[in-house]
Amino acid sequence: MTNTCVVGLQWGDEGKGKIIDILAKDYDVIVRYQGGGNAGHTLIIDEEKFIFHLIPSGILHQDKKCVIGNGIVFDPCLFLDEVAGLSERNINVNGNLFVSDRAHVVFPYHKKLDLLIEKQKGNSMIGTTGRGIGPCYTDKIARDGIRVAELLHKEHFKEKLKKTVEEKNRLFVDLYKDEPVSWEEIYEEYCVYAEKISPFVCDTVDLMAKAIEDNKKILFEGAQGALLDVDFGTYPYTTSSNASAGGVSPGIGVSPKQIHEIIGITKAYATRVGSGPFPTEIDGEQGEHIRKKGGEFGSTTGRPRRCGWFDAVAIRHSVRISGVDSLIMTKMDVLDDQETIRICTGYKSNKKVYHNFPADLDVLENCEPVYEEVSGWMEDTSKVRDVKSLPGKAMDYIRKVEEIIGLKVKMVSVGPERLQIISI
C-alpha cells in the first residue's frame, strides 16, 4: 500500500485537479484535507469542463470513495450546488461521497465579515475570494465555530447560532456601521441544508481508519499551494490553513506515518492571484501574452492571474516544508513560443543574495531576481504524447529545473485534457 499526497508548490492554480484525476485510477480513496470554497480545481475531459471547489477531483471515477475532511471549512450551499451539477451530468455521488461531521460550517455572516474586513484594509487588502474562509477558520481557532455535527441537531444549533449571530451583529453595526444579519433566516436556510447533506455526513476519522486497516490506497488532495500556507507562505498574503503536506494529518485524522509519497505540482512558469509579493512577476506585453495563452484567470473568482518566471527559490522552500519526493510540471506548452526562458535562482536585496525563501516581506517585495536563462524550444508541444518526441530544448529546460531543485520531474502536462500528459 502506498498513500500519496499531492500538494501545490506555488501560489495555487498549479493544475492539481487534473493531476488528481489522472492519478485517481490507481487509488481507492481520494481525500480533500484543507481549504474550502476558495479552492478551484478545473478538469477538462473530452472538451467538457468540470470545476470543483469542495468535492475531491477524484469524484469523476465512480468506483472511488471521495472524502471531505474535518480540515475543510464546509459551505453546504456550495456543496449541494456541486452535487446537483454532477447529477445533471449523470454522475452519481450517492454512496461514494463523504463529509466529515467535524468540519466547520461557513455561514453568510462569515462571507459578509470577509468582505468588510477586506474593504477596511484598503491598499493593504489580502485579495480574499470573499467566500468566508478566513472568518470561518478564525471562529474555529477561537473555539466559536459551528461544526457539521451541530448543524444536524436543530435545537442545539438554534441556540448556538442565535448567540453567535448576536456577537457578529455587534461587529457589523458598532464597528463596521453596516446592517445586521438575521439569525432566524440563517437558521431556516441551514436547517434545509442540514437535511439534504445528512446522507453524506459521517465520522470520517473512523472511515479512514477502516480504509487503512483494509490496506486501501489513499490519495490526499491539497488545495491552494504551499506558498499560501498560513505558517510558511507569504504571510499575511496567504490562505487561512496549512496548504502544505503538513495539513494532511490534522485535516483528516490520520497519522503522518500513513503518508508514503508526496508529489509536488508546479507550473513551468509562475502565477499568483490577488495581492502579495511576487519576485519573478513579468510586466507588460510578455506577461499579458502568457496570461492569455495559459488561460490564467481564477476558476473561483475569474480574476486575472499575475504571471512570472519559474521561481526556484520559492519552489525549493515548498519542497522542503512538504518533504516532496518528485515533481510534476504543468502547462509547459504555454512556453512553446518563448525564445528565452528565465529561472530565478536567488533574490538580490541590499547587496545580499538570498538563496533561501525569506520571511521578510520587504525583501520579497523589493528584491531583484537573479536569473539563469535557457533557450526556448519554439515548437508546439501540445500534441506530444511521448517523452522521446519532446523537443530537445524542452528536455533541457526540464533537466535544468531538476538540477536546481534536486528532484526528478516524473510527468509533464502539455495541455488541459487528460491525454495531454507525458511520463518522463
Side-chain angles (χ1 to χ4, degrees), residues 16-141:
K16 296 180 294 297
K18 174 183 174 176
I19 301 305
I20 290 290
D21 174 66
I22 290 169
L23 297 177
K25 67 181 186 302
D26 297 321
Y27 293 82
D28 303 300
V29 185
I30 296 90
V31 180
R32 267 284 309 275
Y33 61 86
Q34 51 78 221
N38 55 342
H41 291 177
T42 302
L43 308 175
I44 298 177
I45 299 167
D46 296 329
E47 298 185 354
E48 187 174 8
K49 180 183 277 191
F50 297 83
I51 299 177
F52 299 113
H53 300 285
L54 286 172
I55 295 178
S57 303
I59 197 66
L60 300 183
H61 298 261
Q62 296 282 276
D63 59 336
K64 313 298 180 182
K65 288 185 177 180
C66 290
V67 183
I68 295 174
N70 58 276
I72 300 290
V73 285
F74 181 73
D75 184 335
C77 179
L78 181 59
F79 172 77
L80 291 168
D81 282 346
E82 290 192 15
V83 168
L86 288 168
S87 179
E88 288 171 3
R89 301 191 194 192
N90 296 316
I91 297 169
N92 180 40
V93 297
N94 296 317
N96 66 335
L97 179 59
F98 305 89
V99 176
S100 172
D101 54 4
R102 290 176 167 86
H104 280 251
V105 180
V106 177
F107 288 95
Y109 53 78
H110 289 130
K111 298 175 184 179
K112 182 180 178 74
L113 188 57
D114 204 356
L115 295 173
L116 288 171
I117 292 172
E118 186 78 337
K119 182 179 179 181
Q120 189 183 55
K121 290 180 182 292
N123 292 333
S124 300
M125 63 175 57
I126 300 296
T128 174
T129 60
R131 295 288 182 100
I133 308 304
C136 187
Y137 274 118
T138 298
D139 280 357
K140 175 180 178 177
I141 299 303

